[in-house]
């Protein structure tokens, strides 16, 4: 079980804050050693992440990745504009500068934000899709500079190709390999001009992401229902990229929306500490969200988004912070009952480690379930085709179609998830927490948890490639094992681990990409004690499988 830091949920102290000048100096002064695996370019489920302190996110990484992206664009004949957005992490602006120097040198048309320094991830995806609609050539793509909700010392850099969503494994593997070649060659082959020259280049343009996104919101959210209801809701951007979006949204649609925190500070000193005592802008964490939870009785419903605004956190008057899985199930129930234009064949998408409550609600609606490995990239095609009406993952990321059943974004969108909570409250005259409790009366009340277990690098490699036959146990927490998954039922893709399912509970085990641990996701429809039993047996079952596989 994860050990909770005694200061979790308390406001950050001065000693918790990162030294921003030192962090940025390290970005420019420290050079990665390509012979050290931890200092190489490594794309996870969505982009390259690291810290300049660890030599895992430095100037060399960004210019190498950007040059690799330029080569990939040329190879694929992608010659439209590149939409580029950043979040509010301290390393985002230096990374933007480095990327611009390379993009300009490669004569790439770049679209930078016009009205605000920061651009939410969904606004970049929305811009790519809007630009490419109806085009067959001259297609656009994008880069988002963000480490998501990770701590203040973190940096992140991800590529969204012409479909507007996270790049798939084939693309990221190619870009990663090419970028590491540039690192090994001490950046030989990387084209670059000065930042001043890049910003003044004829290929550098301004784009009004904010207005384009805000003006279109009425086509995905029933803003008139929210306005007419007069409900009051609060928004905490957690110092993130959407901080300047919320007031224009309220003004444009006449909403009773209050921005409870408009501070932008790269130390994120206004955050309460997460479960492990670190600053982390995670809107699904009850520890990081203490400031907004304390305001729950002030509003009909309240919401927060992470730093790049692709994740959501929903705080209800009836029950406080909703677990992400609870809100996903609630959204599915609501949307498929209030989006008549979607049609009867539109399905629901979920990742394999998301709650089985989603399965039960989806079945109750008579809809098909499309279950994929962890990673939003697996939903992209279904969203573009309009075949997936709502998609979500347990880490509080989701997206859904426009009201007319066409694609909105192909990346996670925390803004629309937050606004949907207001629509649900306005339309159903009850907050999402109350709606979910009604669902539990019909489908059961599951207990869900995610824990970590130790694993060596060798064990993690074996775990990622386990076969069904590796699981020898016939039962799980007193119930016969019904199925064992190593590939997702929806698309047949490998899940990079194993999922073991019994009648009223399941667990999944996946190796961490950055630490010597593997993650255990578990759920029980029989209560907390049964959940603990599943978690304990999961470690034993996986341990036995690893031992047998490594003999």
């Amino acid at each position: 079980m994860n050990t909770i830091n005694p200061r979790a949920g308390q406001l950050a102290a001065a000693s918790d804050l990162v030294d921003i000048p030192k962090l940025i100096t390290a970005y420019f002064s420290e050079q990665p050693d390509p012979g050290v695996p931890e200092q190489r370019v490594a794309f996870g489920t969505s982009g390259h992440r690291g810290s300049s302190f660890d030599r895992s996110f430095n100037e060399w990484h960004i210019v190498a990745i950007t040059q690799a992206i330029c080569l990939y664009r040329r190879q694929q004949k992608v010659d439209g504009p590149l939409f580029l957005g950043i979040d509010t992490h301290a390393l985002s602006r230096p990374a933007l500068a480095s990327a611009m120097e390379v993009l300009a040198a490669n004569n790439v048309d770049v679209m930078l934000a016009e009205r605000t320094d920061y651009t939410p991830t969904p606004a970049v995806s929305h811009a790519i899709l809007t630009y490419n609609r109806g085009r067959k050539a001259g297609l656009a793509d994008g880069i988002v500079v963000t480490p998501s909700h990770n701590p203040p010392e973190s940096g992140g850099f991800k590529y969204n190709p012409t479909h507007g969503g996270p790049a798939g494994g084939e693309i990221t593997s190619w870009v990663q390999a090419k970028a590491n070649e540039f690192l090994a060659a001490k950046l030989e082959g990387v084209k670059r001009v000065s930042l001043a020259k890049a910003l003044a280049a004829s290929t550098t343009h301004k784009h009004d992401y904010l207005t384009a996104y805000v003006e279109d919101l009425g086509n995905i959210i029933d803003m008139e229902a929210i306005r007419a209801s007069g409900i009051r809701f609060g928004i905490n951007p957690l110092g993130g990229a959407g901080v300047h979006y919320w007031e224009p949204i309220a003004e444009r649609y006449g909403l009773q929306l209050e921005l409870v925190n408009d501070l932008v500070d790269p130390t994120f000193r206004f955050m309460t500490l997460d479960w492990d005592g670190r600053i982390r802008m995670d809107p699904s964490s009850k520890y990081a969200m203490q400031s907004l939870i304390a305001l729950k009785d002030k509003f009909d419903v309240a919401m927060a988004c992470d730093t790049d605004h692709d994740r959501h956190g929903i705080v209800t008057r009836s029950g406080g912070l909703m677990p992400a899985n609870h809100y996903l199930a609630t959204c599915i129930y609501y949307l498929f009952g209030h989006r008549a234009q979607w049609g009867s064949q539109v399905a629901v998408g979920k990742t394999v480690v998301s709650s089985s409550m989603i399965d039960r609600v989806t079945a109750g609606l008579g809809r098909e379930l499309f279950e994929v490995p962890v990673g939003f990239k697996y939903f992209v095609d279904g969203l573009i085709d309009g075949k997936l009406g709502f998609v979500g993952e347990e880490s509080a990321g989701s997206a859904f179609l426009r009201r007319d059943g066409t694609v909105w974004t192909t990346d996670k969108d925390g803004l629309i998830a937050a606004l949907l909570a207001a629509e649900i409250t306005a339309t159903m005259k009850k907050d999402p927490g109350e709606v979910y409790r009604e669902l539990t009366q019909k489908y059961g009340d599951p207990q869900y948890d995610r824990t970590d277990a130790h694993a060596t690098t060798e064990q993690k490699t074996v775990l990622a490639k386990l076969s069904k036959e590796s699981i020898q146990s016939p039962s799980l927490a007193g119930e016969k094992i019904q199925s064992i998954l190593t590939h997702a039922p929806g698309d047949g893709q490998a899940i990079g681990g194993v999922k073991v399912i019994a009648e009223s509970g399941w667990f999944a085990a996946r190796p961490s990409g950055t630490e010597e641990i593997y993650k255990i996701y578990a759920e029980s429809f029989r209560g907390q004690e049964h959940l603990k039993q599943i978690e304990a047996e999961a470690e034993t079952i996986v341990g036995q499988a690893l031992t047998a596989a490594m003999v």
Side-chain angles (χ1 to χ4, degrees), residues 447 451 459 485 540:
Q447 303 296 310
T451 57
Q459 288 174 323
L485 303 179
T540 301

Side-chain angles (χ1 to χ4, degrees), residues 126 129-130 133 216 219-221 339-343 346 380-390 399-410 416:
H126 179 270
L129 290 170
T130 300
R133 191 174 296 132
D216 207 9
N219 291 312
I220 188 167
I221 299 292
R339 295 294 188 268
Q341 287 181 271
W342 283 7
V346 175
V380 169
D381 289 344
L383 288 168
I384 288 177
D385 295 340
K387 294 178 180 178
L388 296 177
F390 178 91
F400 48 95
L401 298 178
R402 294 169 182 267
R403 294 160 76 182
D404 67 0
T406 59
V407 64
W408 169 259
T409 61
T410 44
I416 60 169

